[in-house]
Amino acid sequence: MTHLRSKRLPISGYASPGHGRVVAAVLGLVAALCLGAVGEAQAVSPAPTARTAPAAPTADRWADQPHGFASLAGGTTGGAGGKVVTVTDQASLAKYAAAEEPYVIRVSGAIAVEPFGSDIVVTSNKTVVGVGDTGEIVHGELHLNPGTSNVIIRNLTIRDSYVEGDWDGKTTDFDAIQMDTVDHVWIDHNRFTHMGDGLLDIRKDSRYITVSYNRFTHHNKAFGIGWTTNVQTEITIDHNWFTGTKQRNPSADNCAYAHLYNNYLSAQVADGDPTWTYGNWSRGRTRMVIENSYYDGVQHPYQADATAELVQRGSILKNVSGRQDAWGTAFEPREFYDYRLDPAAAVPALVKKFSGPQQRIGTTLRVPADYPTVQAAVDAVPDQNAVPVTIAVAPGTYREKVFVPAGKPNLVLLGTGRDRSDTVIVFDTPAAYGGSTGSATVRIAAHDVTARNLTFSNDFDEAAVELNGEQALAMKTTGDRIVFENTAFLGNQDTLMTDSPKLDVINRVYVRDSYIEGDVDFVYGRATTVIERSVIRALSRGSDTNNGYITAASTWTGNPYGFLITRSEIVSDAPDGSYHLGRPWHPGGEPAAVAQVLIRETRLPAAVKSSPWTDMSGFSWKDARFAEYRNFGPGAAVTADRPQMSAADARVHTVADYLRGTDGWAPYARH
């Protein structure tokens, strides 16, 4: 076979001389599919030029990077860049928390600490995060010793070290979290309840602290700051819920800057104490700013010592009594950092919904901020993790090969750019230098992997050299329940292979709103694969008669569902009548690999041959399971060599039928 120079589209924007014709055709497809208004069409159009932003949890109220004072002076990154581990017992938690090297420590389930009230020491450069909303530390304290720096504690419940009868916490020092003379700490989305002394004690000149979206409940002394005569601590306290607590909500002693905003204080313990039942207290020489908080049923909602300063603006007070002190100028928080200030009236609903541990908060590994390469981030993912880990890849071109092994399921690869072309993983290996599998830029062997808003490319230039083995995969999958959304696959021969470990293992792959290009057998393999609402570009190799084959399925004969291309568009600038829809691939001459391909309700270009299926390696296409259903466009004319599926059969060859399997998998349902 003579390989002429590829007409691959440039990565940036996928522009080409035929770009206008392609876009016009896609707009026709949008109209034909009744996608509705322009805004909706832009969001779901499979056009290769569509600038589709990655899905974002717009209803969520959190980010994976700290804000406020913890974001200043170099920021707080916790265990970023270190190995990710999942712990389920005290020994493992204590081991990794006290280690010298950075770790991201995921706490799964409840860990009961013994002896009762004991400390778990957390050293510098650690992230301790609950898995979903299940992570709990019971009867124990997280303790940060003097000199500790760069710690993130998120999404945990720390509870129940209370000693019966010791309401004042005078006989024990069993806090939920205690820190002395530390810096750069982020305490976020935790629930603290029913402990032996304080829930959160931030002591002795600790600096650059942010405490956000936590719940403080069922306790006397909730949250204290200070225990020092020095005026050094800088602390941001926002969107926390103090309910069923008595005092220190918080109290701030000798803080250089204490910024409290959008906090909710409700259902304060009412024991008749005229002094030590209170809300916020600016003590010593603290400079405190309170903004848009909500106080409901609170005695002394905010107060200040004569030596302190307190500025309050925009808060709502309901059923309150006692002191409401405000004097001095304190400071202006926006001179230090930007922040989102919610209306005080919205605070109760927001804080009730979003404070405390959240099911959807997990570990996000950022490339290159936390890990220099995509592979380094994959390597950091814990083995056999049960809750999805997101690898968020910043815009850029990453020239590397990536392998997701079978032992790292539940992974999300997310490009964070505006467009899928902003984030590219690319390499240039042909099969001649490592076999077909070895050529793949990205290989996914794990189950339950999703990729969004990314481009996968193998930019080996098949026209520049003559090799016996020019297959060059952009992507190979051998896992089950693989999803590609708003992704692009760029290559020539064998661009996208969806496979399984062996012939009679049925894996499933769902490709939606994506773009695939190539020339020879560039969508192939034995996995059950649905390509929906996508653009497939058949590249011209310069021939007037045969420019290539779009599919090469090797479906197991016992599997009724191979490839389904539906509600999509095939485009090409190849000459009319010069492209095959596919041919049957029998790897190694395997007779039980009987291709099944259905192309339905898809626009076909004039480049498609009137007899679009062809033989391969001595196997007749007529023995395979090739069919079309209700295709349209200039290449969709029905001829004697184009099997058409009946309406009755089409009813059981839907996206749901292909993907359902025995577990009812329905990745399309989210759309």
PDB file of all heavy atoms in Angstrom, residues 499-500 502-507 525-528 553-563 585-587 590-596 625:
ATOM      1  N   ASP A 499     -11.442  -2.526  22.638  1.00  0.00           N
ATOM      2  CA  ASP A 499     -11.180  -3.948  22.637  1.00  0.00           C
ATOM      3  C   ASP A 499     -11.543  -4.552  23.985  1.00  0.00           C
ATOM      4  O   ASP A 499     -12.097  -3.892  24.870  1.00  0.00           O
ATOM      5  CB  ASP A 499      -9.700  -4.191  22.306  1.00  0.00           C
ATOM      6  CG  ASP A 499      -9.470  -5.479  21.524  1.00  0.00           C
ATOM      7  OD1 ASP A 499     -10.348  -5.850  20.731  1.00  0.00           O
ATOM      8  OD2 ASP A 499      -8.400  -6.093  21.707  1.00  0.00           O
ATOM      9  N   SER A 500     -11.205  -5.812  24.170  1.00  0.00           N
ATOM     10  CA  SER A 500     -11.399  -6.519  25.434  1.00  0.00           C
ATOM     11  C   SER A 500     -10.227  -7.478  25.607  1.00  0.00           C
ATOM     12  O   SER A 500      -9.509  -7.773  24.648  1.00  0.00           O
ATOM     13  CB  SER A 500     -12.728  -7.274  25.442  1.00  0.00           C
ATOM     14  OG  SER A 500     -12.719  -8.313  24.481  1.00  0.00           O
ATOM     15  N   LYS A 502     -10.026 -10.662  25.890  1.00  0.00           N
ATOM     16  CA  LYS A 502     -10.097 -11.821  25.012  1.00  0.00           C
ATOM     17  C   LYS A 502     -11.424 -11.821  24.287  1.00  0.00           C
ATOM     18  O   LYS A 502     -12.349 -11.077  24.632  1.00  0.00           O
ATOM     19  CB  LYS A 502      -9.883 -13.124  25.780  1.00  0.00           C
ATOM     20  CG  LYS A 502     -10.865 -13.381  26.906  1.00  0.00           C
ATOM     21  CD  LYS A 502     -10.518 -14.698  27.609  1.00  0.00           C
ATOM     22  CE  LYS A 502     -11.514 -15.013  28.726  1.00  0.00           C
ATOM     23  NZ  LYS A 502     -11.212 -16.323  29.367  1.00  0.00           N
ATOM     24  N   LEU A 503     -11.532 -12.686  23.276  1.00  0.00           N
ATOM     25  CA  LEU A 503     -12.632 -12.611  22.320  1.00  0.00           C
ATOM     26  C   LEU A 503     -14.001 -12.646  22.975  1.00  0.00           C
ATOM     27  O   LEU A 503     -14.888 -11.860  22.637  1.00  0.00           O
ATOM     28  CB  LEU A 503     -12.504 -13.754  21.300  1.00  0.00           C
ATOM     29  CG  LEU A 503     -13.574 -13.800  20.206  1.00  0.00           C
ATOM     30  CD1 LEU A 503     -13.518 -12.547  19.346  1.00  0.00           C
ATOM     31  CD2 LEU A 503     -13.405 -15.055  19.348  1.00  0.00           C
ATOM     32  N   ASP A 504     -14.221 -13.558  23.925  1.00  0.00           N
ATOM     33  CA  ASP A 504     -15.555 -13.734  24.473  1.00  0.00           C
ATOM     34  C   ASP A 504     -15.825 -12.886  25.711  1.00  0.00           C
ATOM     35  O   ASP A 504     -16.815 -13.089  26.413  1.00  0.00           O
ATOM     36  CB  ASP A 504     -15.825 -15.207  24.777  1.00  0.00           C
ATOM     37  CG  ASP A 504     -14.835 -15.803  25.758  1.00  0.00           C
ATOM     38  OD1 ASP A 504     -13.888 -15.100  26.137  1.00  0.00           O
ATOM     39  OD2 ASP A 504     -15.010 -16.981  26.139  1.00  0.00           O
ATOM     40  N   VAL A 505     -14.956 -11.917  25.993  1.00  0.00           N
ATOM     41  CA  VAL A 505     -15.215 -10.935  27.052  1.00  0.00           C
ATOM     42  C   VAL A 505     -15.833  -9.703  26.397  1.00  0.00           C
ATOM     43  O   VAL A 505     -15.252  -9.115  25.487  1.00  0.00           O
ATOM     44  CB  VAL A 505     -13.923 -10.549  27.792  1.00  0.00           C
ATOM     45  CG1 VAL A 505     -14.177  -9.395  28.751  1.00  0.00           C
ATOM     46  CG2 VAL A 505     -13.379 -11.756  28.540  1.00  0.00           C
ATOM     47  N   ILE A 506     -17.016  -9.338  26.860  1.00  0.00           N
ATOM     48  CA  ILE A 506     -17.749  -8.231  26.244  1.00  0.00           C
ATOM     49  C   ILE A 506     -17.546  -6.969  27.070  1.00  0.00           C
ATOM     50  O   ILE A 506     -18.043  -6.864  28.196  1.00  0.00           O
ATOM     51  CB  ILE A 506     -19.251  -8.559  26.121  1.00  0.00           C
ATOM     52  CG1 ILE A 506     -19.443  -9.811  25.259  1.00  0.00           C
ATOM     53  CG2 ILE A 506     -20.006  -7.369  25.527  1.00  0.00           C
ATOM     54  CD1 ILE A 506     -20.890 -10.285  25.189  1.00  0.00           C
ATOM     55  N   ASN A 507     -16.794  -6.037  26.527  1.00  0.00           N
ATOM     56  CA  ASN A 507     -16.631  -4.720  27.130  1.00  0.00           C
ATOM     57  C   ASN A 507     -17.441  -3.704  26.358  1.00  0.00           C
ATOM     58  O   ASN A 507     -17.745  -3.894  25.177  1.00  0.00           O
ATOM     59  CB  ASN A 507     -15.157  -4.306  27.143  1.00  0.00           C
ATOM     60  CG  ASN A 507     -14.358  -5.058  28.190  1.00  0.00           C
ATOM     61  OD1 ASN A 507     -14.919  -5.635  29.113  1.00  0.00           O
ATOM     62  ND2 ASN A 507     -13.039  -5.048  28.047  1.00  0.00           N
ATOM     63  N   GLY A 525     -12.009  -2.988  16.528  1.00  0.00           N
ATOM     64  CA  GLY A 525     -11.872  -3.771  17.745  1.00  0.00           C
ATOM     65  C   GLY A 525     -13.100  -4.618  18.009  1.00  0.00           C
ATOM     66  O   GLY A 525     -14.037  -4.673  17.205  1.00  0.00           O
ATOM     67  N   ARG A 526     -13.122  -5.296  19.164  1.00  0.00           N
ATOM     68  CA  ARG A 526     -14.210  -6.221  19.462  1.00  0.00           C
ATOM     69  C   ARG A 526     -15.117  -5.757  20.597  1.00  0.00           C
ATOM     70  O   ARG A 526     -16.085  -6.439  20.935  1.00  0.00           O
ATOM     71  CB  ARG A 526     -13.659  -7.599  19.786  1.00  0.00           C
ATOM     72  CG  ARG A 526     -12.723  -7.668  20.983  1.00  0.00           C
ATOM     73  CD  ARG A 526     -12.264  -9.105  21.221  1.00  0.00           C
ATOM     74  NE  ARG A 526     -11.139  -9.161  22.149  1.00  0.00           N
ATOM     75  CZ  ARG A 526      -9.973  -9.744  21.885  1.00  0.00           C
ATOM     76  NH1 ARG A 526      -9.760 -10.297  20.711  1.00  0.00           N
ATOM     77  NH2 ARG A 526      -9.006  -9.762  22.795  1.00  0.00           N
ATOM     78  N   ALA A 527     -14.830  -4.606  21.205  1.00  0.00           N
ATOM     79  CA  ALA A 527     -15.720  -4.120  22.256  1.00  0.00           C
ATOM     80  C   ALA A 527     -17.033  -3.644  21.655  1.00  0.00           C
ATOM     81  O   ALA A 527     -17.080  -3.163  20.520  1.00  0.00           O
ATOM     82  CB  ALA A 527     -15.059  -2.981  23.016  1.00  0.00           C
ATOM     83  N   THR A 528     -18.098  -3.783  22.400  1.00  0.00           N
ATOM     84  CA  THR A 528     -19.368  -3.180  22.018  1.00  0.00           C
ATOM     85  C   THR A 528     -19.220  -1.679  22.180  1.00  0.00           C
ATOM     86  O   THR A 528     -18.960  -1.181  23.278  1.00  0.00           O
ATOM     87  CB  THR A 528     -20.501  -3.707  22.906  1.00  0.00           C
ATOM     88  OG1 THR A 528     -20.679  -5.100  22.647  1.00  0.00           O
ATOM     89  CG2 THR A 528     -21.793  -2.966  22.635  1.00  0.00           C
ATOM     90  N   ALA A 553     -14.458  -4.124  12.555  1.00  0.00           N
ATOM     91  CA  ALA A 553     -14.932  -4.766  13.782  1.00  0.00           C
ATOM     92  C   ALA A 553     -14.492  -6.224  13.824  1.00  0.00           C
ATOM     93  O   ALA A 553     -14.371  -6.892  12.785  1.00  0.00           O
ATOM     94  CB  ALA A 553     -16.453  -4.673  13.863  1.00  0.00           C
ATOM     95  N   SER A 554     -14.269  -6.714  15.054  1.00  0.00           N
ATOM     96  CA  SER A 554     -13.919  -8.128  15.244  1.00  0.00           C
ATOM     97  C   SER A 554     -14.806  -8.721  16.342  1.00  0.00           C
ATOM     98  O   SER A 554     -14.328  -9.391  17.249  1.00  0.00           O
ATOM     99  CB  SER A 554     -12.435  -8.266  15.607  1.00  0.00           C
ATOM    100  OG  SER A 554     -12.120  -7.479  16.740  1.00  0.00           O
ATOM    101  N   THR A 555     -16.088  -8.439  16.253  1.00  0.00           N
ATOM    102  CA  THR A 555     -17.046  -8.817  17.289  1.00  0.00           C
ATOM    103  C   THR A 555     -17.120 -10.331  17.457  1.00  0.00           C
ATOM    104  O   THR A 555     -17.189 -11.081  16.478  1.00  0.00           O
ATOM    105  CB  THR A 555     -18.447  -8.287  16.909  1.00  0.00           C
ATOM    106  OG1 THR A 555     -18.325  -6.973  16.357  1.00  0.00           O
ATOM    107  CG2 THR A 555     -19.372  -8.286  18.110  1.00  0.00           C
ATOM    108  N   TRP A 556     -17.133 -10.777  18.692  1.00  0.00           N
ATOM    109  CA  TRP A 556     -17.339 -12.198  18.990  1.00  0.00           C
ATOM    110  C   TRP A 556     -18.696 -12.635  18.466  1.00  0.00           C
ATOM    111  O   TRP A 556     -19.700 -11.932  18.603  1.00  0.00           O
ATOM    112  CB  TRP A 556     -17.240 -12.415  20.496  1.00  0.00           C
ATOM    113  CG  TRP A 556     -17.520 -13.815  20.954  1.00  0.00           C
ATOM    114  CD1 TRP A 556     -17.061 -14.963  20.407  1.00  0.00           C
ATOM    115  CD2 TRP A 556     -18.347 -14.188  22.064  1.00  0.00           C
ATOM    116  NE1 TRP A 556     -17.533 -16.050  21.095  1.00  0.00           N
ATOM    117  CE2 TRP A 556     -18.328 -15.604  22.128  1.00  0.00           C
ATOM    118  CE3 TRP A 556     -19.083 -13.468  23.011  1.00  0.00           C
ATOM    119  CZ2 TRP A 556     -19.036 -16.311  23.096  1.00  0.00           C
ATOM    120  CZ3 TRP A 556     -19.778 -14.161  23.983  1.00  0.00           C
ATOM    121  CH2 TRP A 556     -19.748 -15.582  24.018  1.00  0.00           C
ATOM    122  N   THR A 557     -18.733 -13.802  17.848  1.00  0.00           N
ATOM    123  CA  THR A 557     -19.979 -14.274  17.248  1.00  0.00           C
ATOM    124  C   THR A 557     -21.091 -14.443  18.279  1.00  0.00           C
ATOM    125  O   THR A 557     -22.273 -14.393  17.940  1.00  0.00           O
ATOM    126  CB  THR A 557     -19.730 -15.604  16.504  1.00  0.00           C
ATOM    127  OG1 THR A 557     -20.906 -15.966  15.799  1.00  0.00           O
ATOM    128  CG2 THR A 557     -19.366 -16.723  17.483  1.00  0.00           C
ATOM    129  N   GLY A 558     -20.727 -14.629  19.554  1.00  0.00           N
ATOM    130  CA  GLY A 558     -21.739 -14.742  20.607  1.00  0.00           C
ATOM    131  C   GLY A 558     -22.247 -13.415  21.117  1.00  0.00           C
ATOM    132  O   GLY A 558     -23.122 -13.383  21.989  1.00  0.00           O
ATOM    133  N   ASN A 559     -21.720 -12.322  20.593  1.00  0.00           N
ATOM    134  CA  ASN A 559     -22.126 -10.982  21.012  1.00  0.00           C
ATOM    135  C   ASN A 559     -22.964 -10.353  19.899  1.00  0.00           C
ATOM    136  O   ASN A 559     -22.457 -10.121  18.800  1.00  0.00           O
ATOM    137  CB  ASN A 559     -20.888 -10.120  21.287  1.00  0.00           C
ATOM    138  CG  ASN A 559     -21.238  -8.713  21.739  1.00  0.00           C
ATOM    139  OD1 ASN A 559     -22.397  -8.386  21.972  1.00  0.00           O
ATOM    140  ND2 ASN A 559     -20.218  -7.869  21.861  1.00  0.00           N
ATOM    141  N   PRO A 560     -24.240 -10.076  20.150  1.00  0.00           N
ATOM    142  CA  PRO A 560     -25.083  -9.499  19.097  1.00  0.00           C
ATOM    143  C   PRO A 560     -24.782  -8.042  18.802  1.00  0.00           C
ATOM    144  O   PRO A 560     -25.296  -7.498  17.819  1.00  0.00           O
ATOM    145  CB  PRO A 560     -26.496  -9.655  19.654  1.00  0.00           C
ATOM    146  CG  PRO A 560     -26.323  -9.641  21.142  1.00  0.00           C
ATOM    147  CD  PRO A 560     -25.000 -10.322  21.396  1.00  0.00           C
ATOM    148  N   TYR A 561     -23.971  -7.404  19.634  1.00  0.00           N
ATOM    149  CA  TYR A 561     -23.774  -5.963  19.498  1.00  0.00           C
ATOM    150  C   TYR A 561     -22.286  -5.627  19.387  1.00  0.00           C
ATOM    151  O   TYR A 561     -21.512  -5.845  20.319  1.00  0.00           O
ATOM    152  CB  TYR A 561     -24.376  -5.227  20.696  1.00  0.00           C
ATOM    153  CG  TYR A 561     -25.865  -5.467  20.853  1.00  0.00           C
ATOM    154  CD1 TYR A 561     -26.371  -6.092  21.993  1.00  0.00           C
ATOM    155  CD2 TYR A 561     -26.752  -5.074  19.855  1.00  0.00           C
ATOM    156  CE1 TYR A 561     -27.725  -6.312  22.141  1.00  0.00           C
ATOM    157  CE2 TYR A 561     -28.116  -5.287  19.987  1.00  0.00           C
ATOM    158  CZ  TYR A 561     -28.596  -5.908  21.136  1.00  0.00           C
ATOM    159  OH  TYR A 561     -29.940  -6.130  21.260  1.00  0.00           O
ATOM    160  N   GLY A 562     -21.900  -5.094  18.224  1.00  0.00           N
ATOM    161  CA  GLY A 562     -20.531  -4.665  17.993  1.00  0.00           C
ATOM    162  C   GLY A 562     -20.442  -3.154  17.978  1.00  0.00           C
ATOM    163  O   GLY A 562     -20.450  -2.512  19.018  1.00  0.00           O
ATOM    164  N   PHE A 563     -20.398  -2.561  16.759  1.00  0.00           N
ATOM    165  CA  PHE A 563     -20.310  -1.109  16.632  1.00  0.00           C
ATOM    166  C   PHE A 563     -21.655  -0.537  16.208  1.00  0.00           C
ATOM    167  O   PHE A 563     -22.285  -1.023  15.263  1.00  0.00           O
ATOM    168  CB  PHE A 563     -19.262  -0.709  15.587  1.00  0.00           C
ATOM    169  CG  PHE A 563     -17.847  -0.769  16.096  1.00  0.00           C
ATOM    170  CD1 PHE A 563     -17.062  -1.888  15.873  1.00  0.00           C
ATOM    171  CD2 PHE A 563     -17.297   0.288  16.796  1.00  0.00           C
ATOM    172  CE1 PHE A 563     -15.767  -1.949  16.344  1.00  0.00           C
ATOM    173  CE2 PHE A 563     -15.995   0.241  17.270  1.00  0.00           C
ATOM    174  CZ  PHE A 563     -15.218  -0.888  17.043  1.00  0.00           C
ATOM    175  N   TRP A 585     -12.786  -7.802  10.403  1.00  0.00           N
ATOM    176  CA  TRP A 585     -11.453  -8.152  10.885  1.00  0.00           C
ATOM    177  C   TRP A 585     -11.538  -9.427  11.708  1.00  0.00           C
ATOM    178  O   TRP A 585     -12.264  -9.494  12.707  1.00  0.00           O
ATOM    179  CB  TRP A 585     -10.880  -7.010  11.716  1.00  0.00           C
ATOM    180  CG  TRP A 585      -9.490  -7.263  12.237  1.00  0.00           C
ATOM    181  CD1 TRP A 585      -8.482  -7.903  11.599  1.00  0.00           C
ATOM    182  CD2 TRP A 585      -8.979  -6.869  13.518  1.00  0.00           C
ATOM    183  NE1 TRP A 585      -7.346  -7.936  12.393  1.00  0.00           N
ATOM    184  CE2 TRP A 585      -7.626  -7.303  13.580  1.00  0.00           C
ATOM    185  CE3 TRP A 585      -9.515  -6.185  14.602  1.00  0.00           C
ATOM    186  CZ2 TRP A 585      -6.820  -7.081  14.698  1.00  0.00           C
ATOM    187  CZ3 TRP A 585      -8.718  -5.952  15.707  1.00  0.00           C
ATOM    188  CH2 TRP A 585      -7.376  -6.407  15.757  1.00  0.00           C
ATOM    189  N   HIS A 586     -10.795 -10.442  11.284  1.00  0.00           N
ATOM    190  CA  HIS A 586     -10.680 -11.703  12.016  1.00  0.00           C
ATOM    191  C   HIS A 586      -9.235 -11.809  12.510  1.00  0.00           C
ATOM    192  O   HIS A 586      -8.381 -12.365  11.811  1.00  0.00           O
ATOM    193  CB  HIS A 586     -11.027 -12.896  11.117  1.00  0.00           C
ATOM    194  CG  HIS A 586     -12.459 -12.939  10.700  1.00  0.00           C
ATOM    195  ND1 HIS A 586     -13.371 -13.807  11.245  1.00  0.00           N
ATOM    196  CD2 HIS A 586     -13.135 -12.209   9.776  1.00  0.00           C
ATOM    197  CE1 HIS A 586     -14.553 -13.625  10.677  1.00  0.00           C
ATOM    198  NE2 HIS A 586     -14.432 -12.653   9.774  1.00  0.00           N
ATOM    199  N   PRO A 587      -8.916 -11.273  13.688  1.00  0.00           N
ATOM    200  CA  PRO A 587      -7.529 -11.285  14.156  1.00  0.00           C
ATOM    201  C   PRO A 587      -6.952 -12.693  14.172  1.00  0.00           C
ATOM    202  O   PRO A 587      -7.550 -13.622  14.729  1.00  0.00           O
ATOM    203  CB  PRO A 587      -7.633 -10.715  15.576  1.00  0.00           C
ATOM    204  CG  PRO A 587      -8.903  -9.936  15.584  1.00  0.00           C
ATOM    205  CD  PRO A 587      -9.825 -10.665  14.675  1.00  0.00           C
ATOM    206  N   GLU A 590      -9.169 -15.747  13.249  1.00  0.00           N
ATOM    207  CA  GLU A 590     -10.161 -16.282  14.183  1.00  0.00           C
ATOM    208  C   GLU A 590     -11.545 -16.307  13.540  1.00  0.00           C
ATOM    209  O   GLU A 590     -12.129 -15.267  13.236  1.00  0.00           O
ATOM    210  CB  GLU A 590     -10.185 -15.417  15.452  1.00  0.00           C
ATOM    211  CG  GLU A 590     -11.298 -15.745  16.424  1.00  0.00           C
ATOM    212  CD  GLU A 590     -11.263 -17.176  16.904  1.00  0.00           C
ATOM    213  OE1 GLU A 590     -10.254 -17.549  17.550  1.00  0.00           O
ATOM    214  OE2 GLU A 590     -12.216 -17.920  16.611  1.00  0.00           O
ATOM    215  N   PRO A 591     -12.115 -17.515  13.303  1.00  0.00           N
ATOM    216  CA  PRO A 591     -13.421 -17.583  12.636  1.00  0.00           C
ATOM    217  C   PRO A 591     -14.569 -17.089  13.501  1.00  0.00           C
ATOM    218  O   PRO A 591     -15.631 -16.712  12.974  1.00  0.00           O
ATOM    219  CB  PRO A 591     -13.578 -19.080  12.320  1.00  0.00           C
ATOM    220  CG  PRO A 591     -12.708 -19.767  13.327  1.00  0.00           C
ATOM    221  CD  PRO A 591     -11.548 -18.852  13.562  1.00  0.00           C
ATOM    222  N   ALA A 592     -14.404 -17.080  14.853  1.00  0.00           N
ATOM    223  CA  ALA A 592     -15.487 -16.657  15.735  1.00  0.00           C
ATOM    224  C   ALA A 592     -15.533 -15.149  15.938  1.00  0.00           C
ATOM    225  O   ALA A 592     -16.356 -14.655  16.705  1.00  0.00           O
ATOM    226  CB  ALA A 592     -15.359 -17.359  17.092  1.00  0.00           C
ATOM    227  N   ALA A 593     -14.663 -14.417  15.250  1.00  0.00           N
ATOM    228  CA  ALA A 593     -14.719 -12.959  15.270  1.00  0.00           C
ATOM    229  C   ALA A 593     -15.503 -12.511  14.050  1.00  0.00           C
ATOM    230  O   ALA A 593     -14.952 -12.398  12.947  1.00  0.00           O
ATOM    231  CB  ALA A 593     -13.314 -12.368  15.269  1.00  0.00           C
ATOM    232  N   VAL A 594     -16.796 -12.316  14.236  1.00  0.00           N
ATOM    233  CA  VAL A 594     -17.688 -12.014  13.112  1.00  0.00           C
ATOM    234  C   VAL A 594     -18.209 -10.590  13.278  1.00  0.00           C
ATOM    235  O   VAL A 594     -19.068 -10.330  14.129  1.00  0.00           O
ATOM    236  CB  VAL A 594     -18.858 -13.014  13.035  1.00  0.00           C
ATOM    237  CG1 VAL A 594     -19.728 -12.707  11.820  1.00  0.00           C
ATOM    238  CG2 VAL A 594     -18.335 -14.443  12.976  1.00  0.00           C
ATOM    239  N   ALA A 595     -17.694  -9.697  12.494  1.00  0.00           N
ATOM    240  CA  ALA A 595     -17.964  -8.270  12.669  1.00  0.00           C
ATOM    241  C   ALA A 595     -19.456  -7.979  12.717  1.00  0.00           C
ATOM    242  O   ALA A 595     -20.250  -8.546  11.956  1.00  0.00           O
ATOM    243  CB  ALA A 595     -17.321  -7.483  11.533  1.00  0.00           C
ATOM    244  N   GLN A 596     -19.844  -7.066  13.625  1.00  0.00           N
ATOM    245  CA  GLN A 596     -21.201  -6.515  13.656  1.00  0.00           C
ATOM    246  C   GLN A 596     -21.079  -5.002  13.691  1.00  0.00           C
ATOM    247  O   GLN A 596     -20.499  -4.422  14.612  1.00  0.00           O
ATOM    248  CB  GLN A 596     -21.982  -7.005  14.880  1.00  0.00           C
ATOM    249  CG  GLN A 596     -23.486  -6.741  14.802  1.00  0.00           C
ATOM    250  CD  GLN A 596     -23.892  -5.314  15.202  1.00  0.00           C
ATOM    251  OE1 GLN A 596     -23.334  -4.753  16.140  1.00  0.00           O
ATOM    252  NE2 GLN A 596     -24.836  -4.723  14.479  1.00  0.00           N
ATOM    253  N   ARG A 625     -21.903  -9.102   9.921  1.00  0.00           N
ATOM    254  CA  ARG A 625     -23.211  -8.552  10.281  1.00  0.00           C
ATOM    255  C   ARG A 625     -23.173  -7.038  10.085  1.00  0.00           C
ATOM    256  O   ARG A 625     -23.121  -6.267  11.040  1.00  0.00           O
ATOM    257  CB  ARG A 625     -23.538  -8.913  11.737  1.00  0.00           C
ATOM    258  CG  ARG A 625     -23.706 -10.410  11.965  1.00  0.00           C
ATOM    259  CD  ARG A 625     -23.722 -10.777  13.441  1.00  0.00           C
ATOM    260  NE  ARG A 625     -22.396 -10.686  14.057  1.00  0.00           N
ATOM    261  CZ  ARG A 625     -22.170 -10.848  15.356  1.00  0.00           C
ATOM    262  NH1 ARG A 625     -23.185 -11.097  16.183  1.00  0.00           N
ATOM    263  NH2 ARG A 625     -20.935 -10.766  15.833  1.00  0.00           N
TER     264      ARG A 625
END
